[in-house]
Amino acid sequence: MMRTRPLKVALLGCGVVGSEVARIMTTHADDLAARIGAPVELAGVAVRRPSKVREGIPQELVTTDATALVKRGDIDVVVEVIGGIEPARSLITAAFEHGASVVSANKALLAQDGAALHAAAQQLDKDLYYEAAVAGAIPLIRPLRESLAGDKVNRVLGIVNGTTNFILDKMDSTGAGYQEALDEATALGYAEADPTADVEGFDAAAKAAILAGIAFHTRVRLDDVYREGMTEVTAADFASAKNMGCTIKLLAICERAEDGRSVTARVHPAMIPLSHPLASVRGAYNAVFVESDASGQLMFYGPGAGGAPTASAVLGDLVAVCRNRLSGTTGPGESAYAALPVSGMGEVVTRYHISLDVADKPGVLAQVATVFAEHGVSIDTVRQQGKDGEASLVVVTHRASDAALGGTVEALRKLDTVRGVASIMRVEGE
């Protein structure tokens, strides 16, 4: 039997995502009520500019006082899609204190203060759901948190930012330079006027922190994630990648150490083989590859951003939280029992592609090989091309630690025959 009294929802933010949440709540009201077991009612919408016309939202629901809205006491669920750290953190905390559960899409806040927010939710017996914080419409957090709860996840490797994937895909498919591809992404609305959060990896790093925490049952904060942007990737890098049968993606990589005693989380450009499933992810799409003991390899793929896709994830959480509300229960909270240490980038072991500008004369290759050997870095392949006294030397290593590779490169720069290090890129996905 369906309960007739509606569950009341407060919406914080009514931009691209928030407006879609409100639209779907209205247009799919009957279906949502049937799935939940009670109607859901949009009880208030907090915005910064109340004079703006918002189609489908009665003006009497609009307010600029978000604090008063979440403190009303009759609100069952607060949906937070304003982003940023403050006032979102204070508003979510106030929502818990005044009886509401929370659905959020705020990756930055969750990556920085997720542990404190989970603790507040648990103390007050409320839900905190955030499927929309990572990879838009792609169901990812709930499978990691629930479907794989009986498995041991060892690695999460993914493309979690659509803007950077669009740019790199354009560079790969058309031969465009970084700035040209960025300009096209901006013109098409894939990149913000200030794309720093995307192209410098901040957005992906926040998502990596969230994914690593859930996958490894360990608290991983944004500061724990190594971050490297993709603004230095060049057409020459793509040419080198193609010579290796690879392409280049900005990847979020979360993995257990081989001994299982620590974890790492990192974001950086990397070459991946064309045979890897992530290599075929084009345009602004996202995809995440999960490797675990029992289930093996899983891939989650779909639109990772945009109003409607992200709103879809928000509404999925809203249905789950409302069901919990009706049954008087809460869903799974933070699972950080493993408390594994988070290692720095120096401990990461992977392959490397190093491009050197060197003098075109006998003995150079021997000198370079000696430096690699002295630092314990094994060479897989070498390619040399020379003309008019100058040459390029491309070295691909076997697996080595980031610390060992760093020492190698520092020593290479001291050789008289090495004019410069043109590029260094990690090789993943093998």
Side-chain angles (χ1 to χ4, degrees):
M1 181 181 296
M2 182 179 294
R3 193 181 81 165
T4 57
R5 185 175 69 80
L7 293 158
K8 294 189 176 183
V9 178
L11 179 60
L12 308 183
C14 198
V16 173
V17 176
S19 60
E20 281 295 309
V21 170
R23 182 188 66 80
I24 295 172
M25 284 185 65
T26 301
T27 58
H28 295 180
D30 292 341
D31 286 336
L32 290 172
R35 294 166 191 171
I36 292 168
V40 286
E41 174 188 311
L42 189 60
V45 182
V47 300
R48 286 185 297 178
R49 295 184 294 273
S51 59
K52 180 180 177 180
V53 176
R54 294 171 173 85
E55 187 177 349
I57 299 177
Q59 190 61 32
E60 62 268 21
L61 295 183
V62 177
T63 178
T64 58
D65 194 343
T67 301
L69 178 60
V70 301
K71 288 183 176 181
R72 272 176 37 174
D74 64 336
I75 300 297
D76 293 287
V77 184
V78 169
V79 174
E80 183 271 311
V81 288
I82 56 177
I85 305 302
E86 287 292 354
R89 175 171 50 198
S90 297
L91 291 170
I92 290 174
T93 301
F96 292 145
E97 292 171 347
H98 287 79
S101 288
V102 173
V103 173
S104 176
N106 195 330
K107 53 189 171 288
L109 177 58
L110 289 159
Q112 179 171 307
D113 290 320
L117 294 176
H118 273 294
Q122 183 177 6
Q123 181 181 1
L124 295 165
D125 200 26
K126 297 296 178 289
D127 273 324
L128 173 61
Y129 276 48
Y130 44 90
E131 183 69 62
V134 180
I138 305 172
L140 183 58
I141 288 177
R142 192 172 286 114
L144 281 173
R145 190 162 65 172
E146 300 178 28
S147 303
L148 296 176
D151 206 344
K152 179 184 177 184
V153 177
N154 296 310
R155 196 169 195 236
V156 180
L157 172 77
I159 298 164
V160 294
N161 183 277
T163 300
T164 54
N165 199 57
F166 178 89
I167 293 169
L168 292 172
D169 184 35
K170 279 295 175 182
M171 293 176 70
D172 185 26
S173 60
T174 68
Y178 166 74
Q179 189 60 51
E180 183 182 351
L182 172 60
D183 290 344
E184 182 174 353
T186 304
L188 292 173
Y190 291 123
E192 301 286 346
D194 180 2
T196 302
D198 295 323
V199 300
E200 293 295 351
F202 291 100
D203 175 84
K207 295 170 181 175
I210 295 170
L211 291 175
I214 297 171
F216 306 134
H217 304 279
T218 292
R219 286 178 179 168
V220 180
R221 299 182 73 252
L222 182 58
D223 292 345
D224 296 322
V225 182
Y226 172 84
R227 178 194 55 79
E228 184 181 319
M230 42 77 72
T231 58
E232 301 301 318
V233 176
T234 66
D237 292 326
F238 274 102
S240 293
K242 287 181 179 179
N243 285 333
M244 290 179 58
C246 293
T247 188
I248 299 171
K249 299 292 186 181
L250 184 75
L251 298 178
I253 305 169
C254 314
E255 57 190 353
R256 294 180 189 267
E258 291 184 2
D259 63 9
R261 296 179 180 177
S262 63
V263 299
T264 58
R266 50 196 165 103
V267 168
H268 54 71
M271 295 182 180
I272 58 171
L274 294 175
S275 58
H276 194 281
L278 291 178
S280 61
V281 178
R282 313 302 296 267
Y285 274 69
N286 284 192
V288 177
F289 204 70
V290 178
E291 301 173 9
S292 64
D293 277 0
S295 57
Q297 298 178 331
L298 305 170
M299 183 166 162
F300 301 84
Y301 169 85
T310 305
S312 170
V314 170
L315 267 294
D317 278 351
L318 179 63
V319 168
V321 170
C322 286
R323 286 171 174 169
N324 291 344
R325 192 87 171 179
L326 288 179
S327 62
T329 62
T330 56
E334 182 188 33
S335 175
Y337 73 90
L340 296 170
V342 183
S343 297
M345 190 64 188
E347 304 301 313
V348 170
V349 175
T350 188
R351 297 178 67 205
Y352 289 87
H353 176 284
I354 305 102
S355 181
L356 305 172
D357 295 326
V358 300
D360 186 16
K361 63 182 183 181
V364 173
L365 180 55
Q367 285 184 325
V368 169
T370 297
V371 170
F372 276 87
E374 289 174 346
H375 288 81
V377 179
S378 176
I379 294 175
D380 182 19
T381 62
V382 177
R383 187 175 72 253
Q384 186 172 3
Q385 206 170 11
K387 183 180 180 182
D388 299 330
E390 299 295 329
S392 65
L393 188 65
V394 174
V395 178
V396 180
T397 74
H398 288 290
R399 287 169 60 83
S401 72
D402 190 80
L405 196 281
T408 303
V409 171
E410 185 177 346
L412 287 171
R413 295 183 193 275
K414 295 177 181 178
L415 293 178
D416 293 339
T417 52
V418 175
R419 310 295 193 221
V421 180
S423 69
I424 303 171
M425 192 166 294
R426 297 167 185 87
V427 182
E428 301 284 349
E430 293 188 308

